[in-house]
Amino acid sequence: MDTEDDRDRGATGPVHLLVVAAVLVALVAGAAVAVPCFTRIVDTVRRTVVALEPLFRPGGSATPPAGATSAPSRAARGHHGAAPGTPTASAGSRTSTANPLTAAVRADAGSIVRVTGIAAACSQEQEGSGFVVSASHVVTNAHVVQGLRVARVQIAGAGRRYPARVVFYDPTIDLALLDVPGLPARPLPISTGSTAPGTGVVAAGFPLGGPLRLSTGTVQAEGLEAGPAVGSVPPRRRPIYQLSVVVKPGNSGGPLLTSDGQVVGVVFARGGTRTPTGFAITAATAFDDVRGALTATRPVNAGTCS
């Protein structure tokens, strides 16, 4: 902190003022030349896009990003009904700036699963996350189970590995549904309403093959994006959330939760930037896609590993 004596010795006199004035004139003259260059730099930065990186743990199958996509803009969304077999969820826009890491969120841990499997055609192990949505079904990303004939799930990432069959696979929207007979876990409540920017959220999953992690942040924006391709199938545009949440390889397919423990999205990618940025398919979109398979038991083709 400056003392009174320091401030006195630094007082400005007439000569100082003349010098400062001269310097300011020079700076203004230089700025007039520099402005066009600065404007071009700003425009370039604004045009910079955010690459979406599929979220496999190191050593897993690597689905290459489908080029890049700009950060999503806010978009109005209508209400969709809750998927059959899942708890009825709230409608309309929701927002909360409170700390999202609550007892309700921690209680959801028993319904969040690690998903693993070996894609025989590529002789590679794959691993991601998922969550329970019915008495015997788990939602995850299509790129997590791409090329798998049989998957395994572990409740909270530990203990018994339950055999699972891929009974729904949609690479165009990056979603899959697993049938897991005898799975002793409750379905998570699903919110089909729109979650407003600024709402506190938690991305739950198993990053880097480790234990269950609950990463907190906020919803930054909602918009329509195509996202990365899964295999050779071109993606289709769907509503997603951009998040200020740390997500890492292994988080794919995990739930995006609000403070009341409801699922508002399915995490599927992270941003290729230095700041924490994640992306999640909105829960309403996800359950519009998988609702017809919530009683399915017959395995389907899960594509070819890449």
Side-chain angles (χ1 to χ4, degrees):
M1 185 188 308
D2 290 343
T3 64
E4 289 296 331
D5 290 341
D6 291 333
R7 286 195 292 271
D8 288 342
R9 286 194 295 271
T12 302
V15 174
H16 293 83
L17 292 174
L18 288 175
V19 172
V20 171
V23 171
L24 287 175
V25 169
L27 289 174
V28 170
V33 175
V35 164
C37 181
F38 178 76
T39 301
R40 287 195 296 272
I41 293 173
V42 171
D43 288 342
T44 300
V45 172
R46 288 175 177 171
R47 289 194 298 269
T48 301
V49 295
V50 178
L52 300 183
E53 303 175 11
L55 304 180
F56 279 104
R57 67 171 183 83
S61 72
T63 304
T69 180
S70 59
S73 59
R74 294 179 60 180
R77 289 192 36 72
H79 169 63
H80 297 265
T86 62
T88 302
S90 60
S93 180
R94 57 189 296 153
T95 181
S96 172
T97 57
N99 181 1
L101 197 54
T102 61
V105 169
R106 295 183 187 280
D108 285 345
S111 298
I112 300 170
V113 302
R114 188 197 308 274
V115 180
T116 60
I118 296 177
C122 302
S123 298
Q124 64 187 12
E125 183 178 2
Q126 298 175 193
E127 182 169 329
S129 305
F131 58 97
V132 181
V133 292
S134 77
S136 62
H137 288 88
V138 165
V139 163
T140 187
N141 284 145
H143 74 257
V144 170
V145 297
Q146 181 186 4
L148 299 187
R149 291 185 179 179
V150 177
R152 305 279 177 179
V153 303
Q154 285 179 293
I155 298 172
R160 178 180 171 183
R161 294 176 182 266
Y162 293 85
R165 296 183 292 261
V166 181
V167 295
F168 176 85
Y169 180 77
D170 186 351
T172 70
I173 198 171
D174 198 7
L175 288 170
L177 192 67
L178 307 178
D179 176 44
V180 193
L183 185 67
R186 67 177 177 88
L188 290 183
I190 309 301
S191 172
T192 55
S194 180
T195 303
T199 301
V201 289
V202 177
F206 305 91
L208 304 178
L212 177 64
R213 297 290 185 187
L214 304 175
S215 300
T216 62
T218 61
V219 172
Q220 293 182 316
E222 181 180 355
L224 288 170
E225 295 294 337
V230 177
S232 60
V233 179
R236 56 187 168 97
R237 289 166 63 85
R238 76 282 205 216
I240 67 171
Y241 294 124
Q242 177 176 303
L243 317 165
S244 62
V245 177
V246 176
V247 292
K248 297 179 180 180
N251 274 118
S252 280
L256 183 69
L257 304 165
T258 48
S259 59
D260 54 3
Q262 295 197 65
V263 178
V264 294
V266 182
V267 176
F268 73 95
R270 63 176 176 177
T273 65
R274 294 184 179 181
T275 57
T277 307
F279 298 89
I281 304 165
T282 67
T285 300
F287 282 89
D288 274 352
D289 201 48
V290 305
R291 70 170 67 245
L294 287 174
T295 58
T297 58
R298 186 187 301 272
V300 299
N301 185 352
T304 303
C305 57
S306 55

